[in-house]
């Protein structure tokens, strides 16, 4: 059985699902950050910095999948 | 992965050390950072436009990154954080210029970001050991208030999370710069392909070209944000090993 190309398929599927979950998480984070900024405009600076830190942590999850898809793609 | 724009083109090689495109562009980035900081660092009593801007940036780094995450204990690390910020930022920004196959973003190579992350990792561990002692630093991996029977589970998880944090630090910067350039490359290739076509499809040319323009603007923003995130996560991790654990 010829299995070449299944690696590319797996890579695409893994990064796709990772982006799906990460997108939902980022949506929740940015949504509530904007909401709290609208309620308390004087705290905008602190909220923005913390939001970017949180975004970086959420983003890391998608990046793990990206690394795995790089590894899988070569197979 | 065989991407012509990402090949390194070794110029000279001694063992595992070599001078290649990434090294040269890192030198360029360091030089540009030096020139910018030197020109705007005249220390006039009444700051001009560039000095005022640079003072604003440095104050932002000092207040928002260093003091907010590490407190006054972290002030000795301010030069490190500021250097990391400017180096990563200029590495990202000099790579944006479209210079054919001469142009290169040093941070879109995983070896460069890996080296930066290993450096941060060593600094974090040395800081923790100097602050709490070797045994105290080991103890900080087991948070207070955790039942004893859970410790064999918590301790490996905390150690793995230490390694994963710094691994993610390297991969985040690399993946962001690499993916952004790939997207620009895809749009640019589409533009070139449509330009070479002698058919009605050439009428679609403005769409991928607008994509190139929009992505380039977005990449400038990403270069700034990623440098900011690299610097602030570094100070967060150093602050973690400075602080007494919960």
């Amino acid at each position: 059985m010829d299995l070449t190309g299944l690696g590319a398929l797996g890579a695409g599927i893994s990064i796709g699902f990772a982006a799906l979950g990460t997108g939902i998480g980022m949506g929740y984070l940015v949504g509530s950050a904007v909401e709290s900024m609208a309620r308390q405009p004087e705290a905008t600076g602190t909220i923005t910095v913390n939001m970017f830190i949180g975004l970086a942590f959420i983003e890391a999850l998608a990046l793990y999948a990206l690394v795995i898809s790089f590894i899988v793609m070569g197979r | 992965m065989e991407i012509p724009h990402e090949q390194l083109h070794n110029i000279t090689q001694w063992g595992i050390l070599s001078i290649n495109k990434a090294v040269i562009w890192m030198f360029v980035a360091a030089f540009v950072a030096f020139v910018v900081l030197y020109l705007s660092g005249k220390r006039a009593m009444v700051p001009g436009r560039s000095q005022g801007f640079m003072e604003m940036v440095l104050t932002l780094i000092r207040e928002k990154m260093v003091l907010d995450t590490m407190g006054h204990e972290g002030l000795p690390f301010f030069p490190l954080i500021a250097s990391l910020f400017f180096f990563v930022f200029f590495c990202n920004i000099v790579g944006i210029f479209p210079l054919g196959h001469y142009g290169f973003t040093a941070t879109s190579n995983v070896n460069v970001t890996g080296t930066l992350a290993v450096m941060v990792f060593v600094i974090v561990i040395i800081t923790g050991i100097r602050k709490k002692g070797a045994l105290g630093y080991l103890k900080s991996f087991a948070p207070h208030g955790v039942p004893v029977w859970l410790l064999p589970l918590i301790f490996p998880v905390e150690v793995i999370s230490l390694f994963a944090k710094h691994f993610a630090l390297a991969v985040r910067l690399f993946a962001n710069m690499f993916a952004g350039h790939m997207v620009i490359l895809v749009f640019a290739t589409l533009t070139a392909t449509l330009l070479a076509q002698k058919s009605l499809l050439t009428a679609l040319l403005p769409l991928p070209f607008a994509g190139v323009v929009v992505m380039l603007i977005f990449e400038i923003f990403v270069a700034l944000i990623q440098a900011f995130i690299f610097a602030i996560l570094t100070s967060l991790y150093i602050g973690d090993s400075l602080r007494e654990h919960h």
Side-chain angles (χ1 to χ4, degrees):
Chain A
M1 204 163 81
D2 189 19
L3 292 179
T4 45
L6 277 186
L9 186 66
I13 289 174
S14 81
I15 191 64
F17 274 106
L20 178 70
T22 314
I24 294 172
M26 279 187 176
Y28 275 120
L29 172 62
V30 177
S32 32
V34 170
E35 192 179 322
S36 46
M37 275 184 227
R39 281 192 189 171
Q40 213 176 346
E42 64 271 15
T44 303
T46 322
I47 292 171
T48 313
V49 171
N50 286 323
M51 184 186 79
F52 276 121
I53 295 174
L55 278 181
F57 284 132
I58 298 174
E59 203 183 34
L61 299 176
L63 296 178
Y64 293 143
L66 185 70
V67 170
I68 287 173
S69 69
F70 274 144
I71 295 169
V72 167
M73 205 158 69
R75 296 293 157 87
Chain B
M1 293 286 289
E2 293 293 320
I3 296 159
H5 289 74
E6 296 292 327
Q7 274 170 9
L8 285 174
H9 298 294
N10 285 4
I11 295 167
T12 55
Q13 182 141 16
W14 312 282
I16 56 166
L17 295 175
S18 60
I19 290 189
N20 50 36
K21 240 166 38 171
V23 176
I24 289 173
W25 279 100
M26 273 196 283
F27 280 134
V28 171
F31 181 72
V32 172
F34 172 75
V35 168
V36 168
L37 284 169
Y38 184 77
L39 287 183
S40 52
K42 294 249 172 60
R43 301 191 183 194
M45 278 300 277
V46 182
R49 200 179 291 171
S50 61
Q51 191 189 343
F53 178 71
M54 198 50 73
E55 280 179 2
M56 204 180 74
V57 171
L58 286 173
T59 313
L60 198 76
I61 295 174
R62 190 173 182 273
E63 305 281 327
K64 285 284 170 220
M65 293 191 196
V66 177
L67 286 180
D68 277 10
T69 55
M70 292 192 267
H72 281 278
E73 267 180 315
L75 272 185
F77 293 100
F78 169 64
L80 171 79
I81 306 294
S83 314
L84 274 178
F85 174 78
F86 283 113
F87 180 67
V88 172
F89 175 67
F90 282 108
C91 268
N92 295 345
I93 212 90
V94 293
I96 285 177
F97 293 100
L99 300 174
H101 60 272
Y102 295 108
F104 189 70
T105 317
T107 43
S108 74
N109 188 298
V110 75
N111 299 308
V112 176
T113 59
T115 312
L116 289 175
V118 166
M119 195 183 78
V120 172
F121 181 66
V122 170
I123 289 171
V124 163
I125 286 186
I126 289 179
T127 313
I129 290 178
R130 272 183 63 186
K131 170 81 182 167
K132 303 171 190 166
L135 209 67
Y137 185 58
L138 217 59
K139 245 181 228 165
S140 74
F141 286 112
H144 282 301
V146 175
V148 179
W149 57 271
L150 222 72
L151 275 182
L153 198 65
I154 291 287
F155 189 75
V157 168
E158 289 276 324
V159 172
I160 290 171
S161 102
L162 176 75
F163 281 94
K165 278 195 306 194
H166 295 271
F167 175 71
L169 193 64
V171 173
R172 175 179 303 115
L173 184 55
F174 151 69
N176 269 291
M177 301 324 291
F178 182 76
H181 288 81
M182 280 304 107
V183 173
I184 292 178
L185 188 65
V186 165
F187 276 124
T189 314
L190 190 53
T191 313
T193 316
L194 284 181
L195 198 62
Q197 291 253 321
K198 291 280 177 286
S199 69
L200 271 178
L201 281 176
T202 316
L204 291 174
L205 193 66
L207 294 177
F209 186 71
V212 173
V213 173
V214 169
M215 279 310 293
L216 271 174
I217 297 169
F218 185 64
E219 274 301 293
I220 295 172
F221 174 69
V222 166
L224 183 63
I225 286 293
Q226 287 306 317
F228 173 76
I229 283 183
F230 195 93
I232 201 166
L233 284 182
T234 303
S235 55
L236 208 67
Y237 295 159
I238 295 177
D240 256 359
S241 67
L242 276 177
R243 211 171 302 125
E244 296 300 326
H245 221 279
H246 324 298

